[in-house]
Amino acid sequence: MTGRTMDPLPPAAVTAAAELEAGEEEAGPLAADIPTPPGTEPTDPEPTRMQMLQGNSLLLSYSLQELLARDTVQVEVIPEKKGLFLKHVEYEVSSQRFQSSVYRRYNDFVVFHEMLLHKFPYRMVPALPPKRMLGADREFIEARRRALKRFINLVARHPPFSEDVVLKLFLSFSGPDVQNKLKESAQCVGDEFLHSRLATRAKDFLPADIQVQFAASRELIRNIYNSFYKLRDRAERIASRAIDNAADLLIFGKELSALGSDTTPLPSWASLSSSTWGSLKQALKGLSVEFALLADKAAQQGKQEESDVVEKLNLFLDLLQSYKDLCERHEKGVLHKHQRALHKYSLMKRQMVSAAHSREPEAVEQLESRIVEQENAIQTMELRNHFSLYCLHQETQLVHAYLPLTSHILGAFVNSQIQGHKEMSKVWNDLKPKLHCLFAGPSGTLTLPRSTQEDCLLPR
């Protein structure tokens, strides 16, 4: 921290903050999710109690399973409604927790995102996918649907967000204008800082080396993000290759079938091999069934890996990116405003000294009044800075609570590979006996190449 150490807020300010907290309906459930030691009301004068309670106030004890169990939200595209000039894309958003199903446009997500940032500026608010100005093709719409699904699930499982009225409205309000309803819910309602019971004492709950820990955590998350970004790219390539392999296998089978269905007359000079060509054509014609089945298995494997591996990696990347964005907001937001307030305060002090030397009582009185206001602003910004660091500490723990998702991702990848290869191996083995009639000896009798004969002798 830079700048002088500020005294605690005046009793009147503390009382006002407490009254504001008690008067807001949303403060209760929100504050309940923040681990708050008992007896930390703003008027509690006992420092020994504070010291005893400091150890547990920063703990965020949620397991991955508990976070995932908070809600599961599905986002599906509703068939496009064609207007006179534009095509509108709507989404059906279904919440398991609220047992609700509502229709939302992309702009509804935008307003919801803005309200979250307004109410929770010191928390990880995931980013929305970009809005496409021109016509959107199916691939873009599907990619955005997946991104919106990841966004809303991360929000619905975030401890403070999950208990806020704005989330409940977005997931369950079925009225005609959800955007105005969301804005009304946030009207005249301040951010989390104004409603938290710990806002005026966040500094007392922070470790002495919080800045060092913050820098180390930020660097660690940056490294984890870079590694998972590369893993996601490779997983995408693997899933894409499986889908491309499916298309190649399907075409391969169709070409064999087309060869077997060829009706070109057999020339007389090849009549000695007429039986061979006829047998080959008959066998080739039926192979497309197995190759179509192989293609189907490969496509299933690719799509499963897109859903169970790539999407989970993208979910974790979205979470890590929101943490990086939060760190940047902390530095460019509350910390910058605090430093700017300190700079303005020092300028006012110098002006007051100059005015005092010139013996202008009215100017000195005005400056003193402005300095008092600026001191209050500095105190508020310093409290916000501490509260921002407190929230950052909790959000860091939330990121680490999601780390076991790695084992889920790897498990899904391994199981997909095992199952996919197992099913395709069975089809290949079923296909192999049908190749017998493709090999004919000089006498016209059907024989197999040596390697194929040896394979046939192997126990099955």
Side-chain angles (χ1 to χ4, degrees):
M1 286 292 299
T2 59
R4 66 193 185 110
T5 302
M6 305 303 299
D7 296 329
L9 282 176
V14 174
T15 304
E19 290 175 352
L20 179 59
E21 176 184 355
E24 294 294 342
E25 295 181 359
E26 299 167 3
L30 180 60
D33 264 354
I34 301 177
T36 307
T40 58
E41 289 75 16
T43 55
D44 185 0
E46 300 177 28
T48 54
R49 290 181 64 190
M50 286 295 300
Q51 292 171 1
M52 288 188 297
L53 295 168
Q54 268 185 311
N56 296 325
S57 63
L58 289 172
L59 295 180
L60 191 69
S61 55
Y62 292 104
S63 68
L64 176 62
Q65 294 304 322
E66 289 171 333
L67 292 171
L68 297 179
R70 282 178 172 263
D71 199 359
T72 297
V73 185
Q74 300 295 335
V75 178
E76 300 297 338
V77 176
I78 299 174
E80 295 181 358
K81 296 181 180 180
K82 297 184 178 180
L84 293 176
F85 302 103
L86 298 174
K87 293 181 179 180
H88 302 299
V89 180
E90 284 190 320
Y91 303 91
E92 183 177 8
V93 182
S94 306
S95 166
Q96 190 177 77
R97 174 189 176 190
F98 294 106
Q99 295 294 299
S100 60
S101 182
V102 294
Y103 300 114
R104 296 289 180 256
R105 298 271 300 279
Y106 176 79
N107 287 338
D108 299 331
F109 280 90
V110 172
V111 173
F112 175 58
H113 183 263
E114 291 173 353
M115 295 304 100
L116 285 176
L117 282 174
H118 169 72
K119 299 185 76 172
F120 301 98
Y122 311 126
R123 300 287 182 176
M124 294 187 296
V125 179
L128 285 175
K131 182 175 183 178
R132 189 163 180 171
M133 301 304 294
L134 300 177
D137 54 27
R138 290 184 179 181
E139 185 178 350
F140 172 81
I141 292 173
E142 173 59 17
R144 191 168 70 176
R145 181 198 68 80
R146 292 184 178 187
L148 291 173
K149 180 180 177 181
R150 297 194 302 268
F151 162 80
I152 193 62
N153 275 284
L154 284 173
V155 170
R157 293 163 182 170
H158 190 286
F161 300 167
S162 65
E163 299 303 325
D164 193 79
V165 65
V166 72
L167 175 70
K168 184 177 181 180
L169 281 172
F170 186 79
L171 290 178
S172 59
F173 178 73
S174 57
D177 194 350
V178 67
Q179 294 184 25
N180 280 334
K181 194 71 175 177
L182 290 170
K183 292 175 182 177
E184 288 172 5
S185 72
Q187 190 175 12
C188 300
V189 177
D191 62 16
E192 184 184 6
F193 171 79
L194 296 177
H195 305 295
S196 172
R197 297 172 59 193
L198 293 180
T200 59
R201 285 186 159 179
K203 181 180 180 180
D204 298 322
F205 295 95
L206 296 174
D209 61 342
I210 183 63
Q211 295 292 354
V212 176
Q213 291 193 33
F214 166 58
S217 295
R218 190 176 186 180
E219 180 65 21
L220 175 62
I221 298 302
R222 184 185 294 113
N223 293 338
I224 293 175
Y225 178 89
N226 291 336
S227 293
F228 270 84
Y229 188 89
K230 295 175 183 176
L231 288 172
R232 191 277 313 276
D233 282 355
R234 293 299 157 179
E236 280 184 336
R237 288 165 62 96
I238 292 171
S240 179
R241 280 200 299 269
I243 295 174
D244 289 344
N245 185 37
D248 290 338
L249 285 168
L250 187 62
I251 294 174
F252 193 92
K254 287 181 177 180
E255 290 300 324
L256 288 177
S257 179
L259 185 60
S261 302
D262 185 82
T263 57
T264 304
L266 186 68
S268 58
W269 67 341
S271 58
L272 293 177
S273 303
S274 60
S275 60
T276 302
W277 178 233
S279 301
L280 283 171
K281 285 174 59 177
Q282 189 64 30
L284 292 172
K285 191 183 301 184
L287 294 181
S288 63
V289 175
E290 279 73 19
F291 277 93
L293 188 56
L294 286 168
D296 183 60
K297 300 295 183 185
Q300 287 180 12
Q301 181 179 345
K303 291 177 181 178
Q304 184 176 351
E305 287 172 0
E306 281 184 342
S307 174
D308 295 345
V309 180
V310 176
E311 273 305 290
K312 286 185 174 66
L313 285 168
N314 277 325
L315 178 78
F316 192 49
L317 282 172
D318 289 349
L319 179 72
L320 295 175
Q321 182 62 54
S322 67
Y323 182 87
K324 293 169 63 180
D325 293 342
L326 176 61
C327 293
E328 188 172 344
R329 285 204 306 275
H330 170 76
E331 289 188 338
K332 293 185 177 180
V334 63
L335 186 59
H336 175 70
K337 289 179 181 178
H338 179 230
Q339 292 171 343
R340 188 170 58 185
L342 286 172
H343 178 68
K344 184 177 179 181
Y345 174 79
S346 65
L347 290 177
M348 286 183 179
K349 292 286 285 186
R350 287 198 294 268
Q351 290 175 6
M352 189 177 73
V353 172
S354 300
H357 287 163
S358 63
R359 298 181 181 181
E360 298 177 2
E362 294 182 1
V364 172
E365 185 177 345
Q366 290 178 357
L367 280 170
E368 285 179 344
S369 176
R370 290 172 58 193
I371 286 174
V372 170
E373 293 178 359
Q374 190 62 23
E375 284 178 341
N376 290 335
I378 292 172
Q379 288 176 346
T380 301
M381 290 312 304
E382 187 164 85
L383 289 172
R384 280 188 173 275
N385 185 40
H386 293 142
F387 184 69
S388 177
L389 286 169
Y390 172 84
C391 292
L392 258 171
H393 191 289
Q394 288 199 319
E395 299 302 275
T396 302
Q397 295 177 73
L398 191 61
V399 170
H400 284 266
Y402 268 94
L403 279 173
L405 190 64
T406 307
S407 63
H408 292 240
I409 296 170
L410 291 175
F413 178 61
V414 171
N415 289 336
S416 173
Q417 290 290 319
I418 292 173
Q419 186 66 22
H421 284 85
K422 181 179 178 181
E423 292 182 359
M424 291 190 71
S425 178
K426 183 180 183 305
V427 179
W428 283 118
N429 283 324
D430 291 342
L431 173 62
K432 190 173 182 179
K434 297 185 178 182
L435 303 182
H436 285 70
C437 58
L438 296 179
F439 306 99
S443 61
T445 59
L446 298 176
T447 59
L448 293 174
R450 180 178 177 81
S451 60
T452 309
Q453 291 175 345
E454 291 173 352
D455 289 341
C456 294
L457 297 175
L458 294 176
R460 292 178 180 262

